[in-house]
Amino acid sequence: MRSVVLLLLLTLISQKSQSAVGLRQVGDKAGFSRELNMILNPDCDLPECKGEGSHFINLVHVSAKGDSDVIHYLWSTFGTPSVLIVQTSLKASLQINWESLLNESVAEGIIQFSEKPYYSFGLILAQLWQFNDTKDTGKLDISTNESFPISFMEMSWQNINETMTCSSDQCSVSFETSSVDTDYFLPNGSFSFQMTAHSKDGRNNILPHLEHTASSSQLNIVLNEMKSHFTGSRFALEFLFFSSDVSHENIDPIAIESRKSVDDEYTPGVFKRYVLTTPSSRSNGSGGYLHWKPVCYTNYKRTIAHSSDSSTYGIQYTNTSQPFSIVKAFFGPSDNNSMSAFNVSFGSAGDGFYLKTNYTS
C-alpha cells in the first residue's frame, strides 16, 4: 500500500511588544513551554455539536498559554478543512455564533475573541487535484495535463472524538473522510489530516523530522487508497492562505522561498525546505509562517526507500471567492486581509505514479 504524506509546520512568531529572536517567542529561553488545553465544539449546545444523528460538526479549539499571551489553534472540517491560528492576550476568550456558523453566514463576528487579537492567520485546504502525468515529469501543469478538481465540501467526515489526545507535551487530532464516495475512493480508502500543537521546542520523531517550537503546530496529510482515473494519476493540493497583515506598497506580499542546507542529518537526501513568510515575519520578526520539506512518502513506514519528491508552485494572489470554512467565518468578507493561493503536487519522474502503492503522505 502506498501513501503520500505532507508535513507542514505552521508557526506564529511573537507579536506586538514581545520581542522575537529567530523563531522563538518572547521570553523563550531554555525550557520555555506552554500550557495546552483542548476542547471539541466549545460552548455549543446544538445537536450537531453533540454528535447526535448523522450530521455533526468537528471544530477543535486548542489554547496554548504562555507567560504573556495565548495562541489559539482552531481546526475543523466544517465547510472545507482549515486551520486558524490566533494570538491574543491572556484574558481574551473565544466566542462562536454557532447558529450563524452552521448557516454558513459570511457576516463579521461569527468567530471572534473578546479582545482584539495581536495577530492571526489561516490555512484552507481548498481542493484536491487529480491529474494525468502523461510525460511522467512529476509536475502539475493544468494547461497540458488532463485534470479535475475534487472538492472537500463534497466529502463526508468521521466523528473525531476517539482521535483526540492531549498531554502536557502536545495535543493532536485526526480528521478522516468516510469512504462512502466511490468516485473518489477505493474500498477502505480515505483522505485524512492530523493536526498537532506543541508545548515546547523539539523535533518530530518521524520523517522528515521537522523542527517545531513552543509556538507552532503541525499538519500531516495522507492520501490512502484514492481512486486513480488515469494510468498516470498524481495528486496535488491547492491551499489558500490568509493573514491579518494589511498590504502596503512598501511591504513585500506573502512569499514562498526555497532555502538550501548542506546538512541532511534529519531528512537524508533532502537538502532544502520551503518557507512561506508573511510581511510581518519579514519586516519586524513578528507574524506567522509555514515551512515544509519537498518530500513525500509512499508507504506508511516512512523510509528513504519509500520516499518521492513533492513540488511547490509559486504564490498566486487572488480575489476570487473561497469555499466556506472557519477561516472565512473568522476573517469575514473583508478585503483588508492578505489572501494568496499555492499548490503542492506529489511524486517524481519514474516513481510509478500513485497507482504503484495507492498511498501518499
Side-chain angles (χ1 to χ4, degrees), residues 137-165:
T137 64
K139 303 295 184 182
L140 170 66
D141 186 348
I142 295 178
S143 63
T144 59
N145 296 141
E146 186 179 4
S147 62
F148 63 91
I150 301 171
S151 172
F152 290 113
M153 298 188 74
E154 297 176 2
M155 295 183 181
S156 299
W157 298 87
Q158 299 179 25
N159 196 312
I160 61 173
N161 266 318
E162 295 183 0
T163 73
M164 295 174 60
T165 62

Side-chain angles (χ1 to χ4, degrees), residues 161-183:
N161 266 318
E162 295 183 0
T163 73
M164 295 174 60
T165 62
C166 197
S167 68
S168 59
D169 293 329
Q170 64 180 41
C171 293
S172 67
V173 61
S174 293
F175 299 86
E176 185 173 4
T177 59
S178 301
S179 55
V180 295
D181 196 327
T182 56
D183 288 337

Side-chain angles (χ1 to χ4, degrees), residues 47-121:
E48 293 88 342
C49 295
K50 298 178 180 179
E52 299 176 2
S54 58
H55 298 286
F56 49 83
I57 186 171
N58 288 329
L59 192 158
V60 176
H61 175 216
V62 175
S63 59
K65 183 180 178 182
D67 297 333
S68 57
D69 69 347
V70 178
I71 296 179
H72 301 265
Y73 302 101
L74 278 76
W75 309 323
S76 182
T77 55
F78 185 73
T80 196
S82 56
V83 177
L84 178 64
I85 302 177
V86 183
Q87 183 187 30
T88 70
S89 72
L90 294 172
K91 297 180 180 180
S93 59
L94 173 65
Q95 300 172 339
I96 300 176
N97 185 326
W98 284 100
E99 291 188 357
S100 295
L101 181 66
L102 291 175
N103 290 329
E104 298 188 6
S105 171
V106 293
E108 298 277 1
I110 296 177
I111 297 178
Q112 62 181 351
F113 289 83
S114 57
E115 295 182 3
K116 183 178 179 180
Y118 296 150
Y119 188 82
S120 55
F121 70 99

Side-chain angles (χ1 to χ4, degrees), residues 260-278:
K260 294 185 178 180
S261 172
V262 296
D263 186 2
D264 68 341
E265 175 185 358
Y266 295 103
T267 314
V270 180
F271 292 92
K272 68 178 179 180
R273 66 188 176 106
Y274 286 95
V275 183
L276 183 151
T277 55
T278 58

